Structures are given as C-alpha cells and as structure tokens.
Amino acid sequence: MARHHKLIFSVLLVLPLIFAAACNYGKVDQGRVVKFDKAKGTVCIIRDCGSDSRNPDYRLPTVVYTMPEDPAEVGPEPKSGLRIKLDSKNNQITFCNIEAGKLETISYTLIDQKEGVAEDDPLVFDASRRKVKKFPSVDREKKTITVYSSRQKVLTTFSLPEEYFRLPEYTWDAGDEVRIYYKEEGKALRFMNVTKTDIFKK
C-alpha cells in the first residue's frame, strides 16, 4: 500500500511539470493579410478556418499581430489586399470592409474571363521584367477591373457600379497568405509568408 501511495505522489509531482512544458509550446495562426503597417510593425489578418488550403474559409473578426522583434524570424514582407473570394462561377467578388468589420459580396458584370491561366502565361507574365504583371488593373474611365487569381488560375475582367471605383485598388487584390507562430496573443514570434516562400527551394 505504501508503494502505491508513493507512486501516486510521484505522478502528482510529474504532472505539473508536463502541463508546464505543454504551456510553453506556442500556437500557430494562418490567414490572409488585409493590412500591413511597416512603420508600426503590425500585421492584420483574416483567419483561414478551413482545413483545405485549396479551399480556404476566411472568417471574421480580423486579428492584429505585432511583427517579431528578431529580423531572422521574419520572412518576405507581406502584401496586403482586401479581396477574400473571387467566385468566377456566380460572378461575385467578396472583400473585407475593415472599418465596418464585415465582409461584402458584390455581383459584377462579366466582361471577359480566361481559365487555366498559369503564372507563366503571357497573358499575366511580363517576360521582359521576368515577373507577373501588376494586378488588379483598374480602368476608371471604362469602369472595368481586371483581377488575376494564381490559385484558381483565372483572369477575370468585370464591371461594377461607379461608387465602387472610389475604393482603393488593393480592395480587389488578394493579400499574401501567412503563417504566424506565437505564445502571447497578438505578438508574433515567427512570421512566414506562405505565398512568397518556396518550401522546395534548396
């Protein structure tokens, strides 16, 4: 019996150490950048709550993190964008209205659409500069917007009501996908730009 009590006591001593060690492990957050303030060292993301990276499920509220203090823990600088979803089948586009704290979905008038467009396609790739052309392309005179989704491989030109052309161009751009490691809420310890990181590069 004494041996049994001694075993229980030993377990009770070890358990707090296990829990303490577990508490030292950080957490990982992932989402799309909707705002990046380099001067303040902060990044605002909308979380991807889905389990399939090919079909992200972005949900509010947005979350703000301070960037890591150690430059070695920061990947490529993120591009911000408010476009959350391009529904090329139903001719709808969804963007994040940060000030209003909501997602807005708008039906657009399709002008032209090309599918199966890879990043090296001449339609989107500038061979002379060796990089993808600048998108979105907003023509305020013709009231058209052209966006390119590399994930969906879709190049779409559409028209919207005039009031939407008062919004900044990055409203129609998709921000970079990023992964953040943290222990304390709102304070990133490691920052990985998934969009701009080639995990296969040697």
Side-chain angles (χ1 to χ4, degrees), residues 30-33 46-60 83-87 94 103 149-153 174-179 194-195:
Q30 183 158 331
R32 179 169 283 179
V33 176
I46 181 169
R47 283 188 174 121
D48 179 3
C49 299
S51 56
D52 183 359
S53 60
R54 293 171 297 180
N55 296 289
D57 180 15
Y58 299 107
R59 297 185 189 180
L60 293 172
R83 189 181 89 222
I84 302 303
K85 183 178 181 181
L86 176 66
D87 187 343
T94 301
L103 301 180
S149 172
S150 58
R151 180 176 61 82
Q152 296 169 265
K153 296 184 178 180
D176 285 342
E177 192 77 19
V178 299
R179 192 171 295 142
V194 178
T195 300

Side-chain angles (χ1 to χ4, degrees), residues 13-174:
L13 280 175
V14 172
L15 281 175
L17 296 176
I18 295 174
F19 287 134
C23 289
N24 285 329
Y25 289 123
K27 298 179 181 179
V28 176
D29 210 351
Q30 183 158 331
R32 179 169 283 179
V33 176
V34 292
K35 188 175 183 180
F36 173 60
D37 192 321
K38 186 174 182 178
K40 293 182 179 179
T42 59
V43 63
C44 178
I45 71 169
I46 181 169
R47 283 188 174 121
D48 179 3
C49 299
S51 56
D52 183 359
S53 60
R54 293 171 297 180
N55 296 289
D57 180 15
Y58 299 107
R59 297 185 189 180
L60 293 172
T62 55
V63 188
V64 177
Y65 285 94
T66 56
M67 296 291 282
E69 295 179 0
D70 184 356
E73 300 295 350
V74 181
E77 187 174 295
K79 177 190 69 172
S80 59
L82 300 181
R83 189 181 89 222
I84 302 303
K85 183 178 181 181
L86 176 66
D87 187 343
S88 59
K89 294 191 182 347
N90 295 308
N91 295 347
Q92 291 183 325
I93 190 166
T94 301
F95 70 92
C96 180
N97 187 327
I98 299 179
E99 284 69 27
K102 64 179 182 179
L103 301 180
E104 291 189 30
T105 299
I106 313 164
S107 294
Y108 57 76
T109 301
L110 180 64
I111 305 298
D112 184 52
Q113 182 166 289
K114 292 178 174 59
E115 301 179 6
V117 181
E119 289 189 3
D120 59 354
D121 191 296
L123 288 171
V124 298
F125 187 75
D126 187 339
S128 62
R129 301 177 65 186
R130 295 184 179 179
K131 66 178 185 178
V132 175
K133 298 174 184 177
K134 184 182 178 299
F135 293 101
S137 176
V138 179
D139 190 326
R140 288 183 168 81
E141 290 186 6
K142 295 181 179 179
K143 297 294 181 292
T144 61
I145 299 171
T146 300
V147 299
Y148 173 61
S149 172
S150 58
R151 180 176 61 82
Q152 296 169 265
K153 296 184 178 180
V154 173
L155 180 66
T156 306
T157 299
F158 56 86
S159 181
L160 290 172
E162 188 170 351
E163 62 264 25
Y164 288 104
F165 285 86
R166 301 190 192 105
L167 298 175
E169 289 190 6
Y170 76 95
T171 302
W172 319 113
D173 198 7

